[in-house]
Amino acid sequence: MMFGTTQPETEDNKWRRQLDRFVKANQQELAALFWGLRLENGDSQGTIGIDLQPQPHFVYCPQAEVEKLNDRVENRLQELLGIIENNKPETEVVMIGIGKGEIKLIQFAPEPKPAVCFEQVGKDVDGLLELLEERMIKQIVF
């Protein structure tokens, strides 16, 4: 692909574009959720994921399962595993988007930092999950 040109939106990549738009529009709330879940569980549950089917919802992606998937796809997820392993949760958010039999890395450095987003949003984890899942259902359509 040439710089400055975009690929046409096909059914195969539509979910990725919708997910990108959702993440951009909801960075503060996603950062707050990421930090709140980290406070509750550390990284013991794995990486938070956004599963788009049957309807958008949040899931945990345990490290062992991501590693098994990497083995099944001939180590094509090695870079993703490295990004997850080297994540700096104090400054950046890392999540996995899951849709149409594919995965997509979600990574961004929110301003302010995730801990401050959590304080500013003023909702607990359950409230954030409910809010964001409602927004996903409205904004990401298959």
Side-chain angles (χ1 to χ4, degrees), residues 20-89:
D20 286 342
R21 285 191 291 269
F22 173 78
V23 169
K24 187 174 184 176
N26 295 281
Q27 274 194 8
Q28 288 228 293
E29 293 86 354
L30 287 166
L33 176 64
F34 174 80
W35 190 257
L37 288 170
R38 183 146 188 94
L39 290 176
E40 283 187 3
N41 303 314
D43 58 4
S44 65
Q45 300 290 318
T47 305
I48 185 99
I50 298 174
D51 188 354
L52 299 177
Q53 294 186 350
Q55 71 178 21
H57 62 284
F58 290 96
V59 296
Y60 273 113
C61 303
Q63 181 78 14
E65 294 302 314
V66 178
E67 288 171 2
K68 284 181 195 174
L69 178 59
N70 184 50
D71 289 341
R72 287 196 304 269
V73 297
E74 300 172 355
N75 293 322
R76 285 187 235 146
L77 302 179
Q78 201 64 38
E79 186 176 341
L80 177 108
L81 285 168
I83 290 169
I84 291 169
E85 187 174 314
N86 293 298
N87 173 242
K88 306 280 188 254

Side-chain angles (χ1 to χ4, degrees), residues 67-122:
E67 288 171 2
K68 284 181 195 174
L69 178 59
N70 184 50
D71 289 341
R72 287 196 304 269
V73 297
E74 300 172 355
N75 293 322
R76 285 187 235 146
L77 302 179
Q78 201 64 38
E79 186 176 341
L80 177 108
L81 285 168
I83 290 169
I84 291 169
E85 187 174 314
N86 293 298
N87 173 242
K88 306 280 188 254
E90 300 79 20
T91 58
E92 68 181 359
V93 173
V94 171
M95 297 180 175
I96 298 173
I98 306 162
K100 301 265 184 180
E102 298 177 356
I103 64 171
K104 172 182 177 35
L105 176 67
I106 300 166
Q107 181 182 29
F108 61 93
E111 278 300 323
K113 293 182 178 5
V116 177
C117 289
F118 185 69
E119 291 172 18
Q120 288 180 349
V121 168

